Amino acid sequence: MNNEQAEIIKATATDANLRSYEEARSGFDWTEVEKHFSWHATGKVNMAYEAIDRHAEAGLRDKVALYYSDATRDEAVTYGKMKTSSNKFGNVLRRLGVKKGDRVFIFMPRTPELYAALLGTIKIGAIVGPLFEAFMEQAVRDRLEDSQAVAIVTTPELLPRVPVKDLPHLKHVILVGDNIQAGPGQVDFKGEMAQASDELAIEWVDREDGLILHYTSGSTGKPKGVFHVHNAMIQHYYTGKIVLDLKPGDVYWCTADPGWVTGTSYGVFAPWLNGATNVVRGGRFKPQDWYSTIEKNKVTVWYSAPTSFRMLMSAGDETVEQFDLSSLRHVLSVGEPLNPEVVRWGLKVYNQRIHDTWWMTETGGQLICNYPSMDIRPGSMGKPIPGTEAAILDDNGNVLPPNRMGNLAIKTPWPSMMRKIWNNPAKYEEYFRLTGWYVSGDSAYMDEDGYFWFQGRVDDVINTSGERVGPFEVESKLVEHPAVAEAGVIGKPDPLRGEIIKAFISLRVGFEPSDELKADIAKFVKEGLAAHAAPREIEFKDKLPKTRSGKIMRRVLKAWELGLPTGDLSTIED
Ligand code: 6R9
């Protein structure tokens, strides 16, 4: 089915946490993993305690939990320090009256304060909602409105994008910065933290109580609030151990922002549950900064995304040679298909096999992976982790034989599975419409040896530089522009970004196509929604292809774009 399939890169790991794949799977039992946790006996649990306090209390108080650097800061935060700073933040929230189950959003750049706020929120049993700092007003509004958040942690720079007046549930704006003059409803983070106690009575919650709310895009409607519970720690801990292969001495760098699920499940929970040292690099992507982050911190395990690897690749082999990257011993990727080309390049320049991993916001944790002890087939996502089963189903839920393309599905349940879509039970049910299975929305096939190969999205979700963008959200923003009558948005294949956003637009009467107008429309989306959601290409059309029920037929736009046959047009409007 795929000629890449013949290529095999042999496993080299000798001391992987995982025995052979087959051995690890046979007789696997999640309850054995649970025994690692202190709550196994009591039943009461808290993710932040297990990630930080537990280690701080077990002799790792002075071990570095976080190496943080950006253009102006360079800090090492110990487990002991992370415990007290998150305790303090928990106390700040309690003093404001924030309670278990309340939603608290964090909307700020990656800094040690962000991590203290995230952990402190979890410590008091509140549900944390991380937001990308790139979000503009509409994106922030949608998420805070839907979740009825009571508090937001942000910076004075980002505050103008929080429409406080329109959000009646939002009672507290906690501002992180210097010389904050807190107005009504506002709180000075630093001032409050300085006064707060180091000691906090942790809120012990049930395994099924709320932990985190990640908003993510679907093909229709507003973004969905994917709701995860404390129980997810079982999977975060276990995959941190067997997939990331984390050991106590590791310095681990996950390049993802906590606004993306990778930046929390594997940028916060998995590494700290495993007692590793975590690296966070603030600021924007620059190849030299990235390599110097690895060199300076002696990063051993590195988890990034195809889009970043492709950008590093285009920065050239010479750039790699300027740095000492010999500390690296394990490299992984997630977010989009990992091109075989990138895998080969990684082997050449880093002397590392890049291990692909597949999972989703909804799955909460890794599911289909290449283990350290497994041969890699470049272009394949790997095999389901122990304790889980994956299959390719037809649309009626029948399991398809090897080499047949269909719906990638996972047998339910697994520990980190989402527990609901906030305010939208119907949407939640859609994922489980084929009894006994979670239907991912990705299409794939499995080869004879059980390796899974990604083929595409079943719906229209665009994956640009590893970020999921719903075409509907972009179209809605586009039609708010005074010149735009109708808009249809697709993902156009792009060698660097995976896909870029291309918009087909019909103009209102009185407007003429021009390059200035294109630029103005793109800017409108960038400032109104998010930079990564702005179309990089715009094409004006007199009319857009629509179904009789008025739905824009994105697959026809895509076929036009790719010069492919348009397929069944029976539902098209005239
Ligand atoms: C963790 C994360 C999920 C979607 C998923 C799929 C794509 C993720 C992939 C991959 C090919 C991989 N995706 N990993 N495609 N190979 N290894 O990315 O979550 O942002 O929710 O995106 O990303 O299409 O369905 P999320």
Side-chain angles (χ1 to χ4, degrees), residues 375-395:
D375 293 347
I376 287 176
R377 300 190 172 182
S380 160
M381 311 184 285
K383 300 185 181 187
I385 62 166
T388 67
E389 248 180 83
I392 305 299
L393 306 182
D394 69 14
D395 291 341

Side-chain angles (χ1 to χ4, degrees), residues 260 335-337 356-361 442 454 457 463 468:
W260 182 28
E336 351 151 40
D356 196 10
T357 65
W358 175 94
W359 56 290
M360 307 174 65
T361 307
D442 285 354
F454 179 84
R457 287 290 300 175
N463 194 329
R468 258 164 87 173

Side-chain angles (χ1 to χ4, degrees), residues 207-212 227-233 415 419:
R207 291 160 61 160
E208 293 297 314
D209 278 332
L211 171 74
I212 195 162
F227 176 79
H228 287 290
V229 298
H230 285 254
N231 193 65
M233 74 173 71
R419 296 301 200 264

Side-chain angles (χ1 to χ4, degrees), residues 216 260-262 303 306 333-338 356-363 368 381 438 440-442 454-457 461 463 466-468:
T216 190
W260 182 28
V261 69
T262 305
Y303 197 13
S333 171
V334 63
E336 351 151 40
L338 180 64
D356 196 10
T357 65
W358 175 94
W359 56 290
M360 307 174 65
T361 307
E362 292 88 336
T363 72
I368 299 181
M381 311 184 285
Y438 162 84
S440 67
D442 285 354
F454 179 84
Q455 299 294 289
R457 287 290 300 175
V461 173
N463 194 329
E467 284 179 36
R468 258 164 87 173

Side-chain angles (χ1 to χ4, degrees), residues 285-296:
F285 173 86
K286 239 181 92 194
Q288 281 82 357
D289 287 351
W290 275 37
Y291 289 140
S292 78
T293 299
I294 295 175
E295 181 179 74
K296 190 179 68 173

Side-chain angles (χ1 to χ4, degrees), residues 35 63 111 163 202 227 233 305 321 330 405 430 485 555 560:
K35 288 185 186 151
K63 175 173 177 165
T111 57
I202 288 193
F227 176 79
M233 74 173 71
E321 284 152 21
H330 189 37
M405 194 170 130
E430 271 176 37
R555 73 178 164 81
W560 284 352

Side-chain angles (χ1 to χ4, degrees), residues 64-71 73-77 82 108-116 133 251-258 262-264 266-268 271-272 277-283 289-290 293-294 296-297 299 301-302:
V64 175
L66 175 66
Y67 281 124
Y68 175 79
S69 64
D70 62 25
R73 294 170 70 172
D74 197 350
E75 295 166 27
V77 185
M82 194 60 97
M108 61 182 290
R110 262 177 286 181
T111 57
E113 291 74 29
L114 184 159
Y115 292 86
E133 65 178 298
V251 178
Y252 163 77
W253 185 28
C254 168
T255 59
D257 188 281
T262 305
T264 57
Y266 295 97
V268 175
W272 283 332
T277 294
N278 214 0
V279 172
V280 171
R281 167 83 204 172
D289 287 351
W290 275 37
T293 299
I294 295 175
K296 190 179 68 173
N297 297 298
V299 170
V301 181
W302 184 28

